[in-house]
Amino acid sequence: MTRTRQWLFGGTLAVYAAIVIGVLTSSWLVAFDWQVMFFRPYKQWPAIHAFLDYFVVLGQRGPTAVAVAAWLGWRCWRQRNLHPLLVLGASLLLLNVTVGAAKLGMGRLGPHYATSVGSTEMWLGGDIFPSGHTANAVVTWGVLAYLATTSLRRRTLSVFAAVGALGVGMTTVYLGTHWVSDVLLGWAAGLLVLLAMPWLEPGVTWVEDRLMGIILRLWLRLRPDSLRGPLPAGPLAPGVSPQRISPDGEVLVRETIGAGSGARSASRPPDGWPHHPTRPYTIRSERTPVTPAGSRRPPHADRFPRTTPLSPSSGRGRNGSG
């Protein structure tokens, strides 16, 4: 929580209190609400009514939460953590608690259900002050900017969230479902939730650690051999014995690096296959010859060795005509 964010939080809280006091005291803000209501913007510009009926969905809690959760869920899968989804859940929970309590506590009626001209319409059983669509648009799309990893993305998404929240708020005024003061208070309420998110980070981290531990234990039960295997290659000092241990304390992989010679011997849990001892490596000159010395021809009874000279009679007997 930086000092700048603290100042912004304090200033937004002061604006929030000023809007509530202005409505409760029937100030000029209430008179302006009634003037805009009598102006009836949806009758002044009917051509854009159909488009704004769909555009206002960008502030509806259900569709926007599903869309943003799908995107953040994909980010969780790529990053192999639950932080983006938990931040979204914490922000929506804080939004529902704060905005819901204010809605039910002040019970203001909307323009379509107003009972007395010029009155504040407070404590009459309504639930529109502050505007939920506006506050939800600020928080839901603002979370994307809050979770951005680069300054360029953060600025781009901040502009997108600001334009979307501004458009949704003005659309509710155009459709006649909210007073102007409802929208102003909705902007302030959503911004307060976003500015307070750093205070929720320790709790989000605590929940994330617990959930990741549960998921890892379940994964090891379903796939007990998923973490078995050699460690990544890397420089290791002689005599170092790296090992990987599961959360239950089981040694999954252990490798010992021999000192001096650089030979490595690995020992793994028994897997049912015989393991043969390592054999010494010898050079070619030290190997046992595979062929016997001497001639490769087998001995024969009627053959003379080459070293014995042939007699003339034996030569005629072989080469003669007989």
Side-chain angles (χ1 to χ4, degrees), residues 215-250:
I215 292 174
L216 181 59
R217 291 189 186 93
L218 293 176
W219 178 259
L220 290 177
R221 289 183 180 179
L222 295 175
R223 300 285 300 275
D225 296 333
S226 59
L227 296 181
R228 298 179 186 272
L231 291 175
L236 293 174
V240 177
S241 176
Q243 61 186 12
R244 187 179 299 168
I245 303 177
S246 70
D248 296 334
E250 178 189 2

Side-chain angles (χ1 to χ4, degrees), residues 12 89 100 107 121 151-152 156 174 234 245 315:
T12 306
E121 303 297 326
S151 58
L152 178 60
T156 303
Y174 167 86
I245 303 177

Side-chain angles (χ1 to χ4, degrees), residues 81-83 85-87 89-90 93 200-215 217:
N81 61 55
L82 299 175
H83 186 260
L85 280 178
L86 291 178
V87 168
L93 178 62
L200 302 180
E201 284 291 344
V204 171
T205 303
W206 184 87
V207 174
E208 181 182 4
D209 293 340
R210 299 304 182 274
L211 291 178
M212 290 301 293
I214 294 173
I215 292 174
R217 291 189 186 93

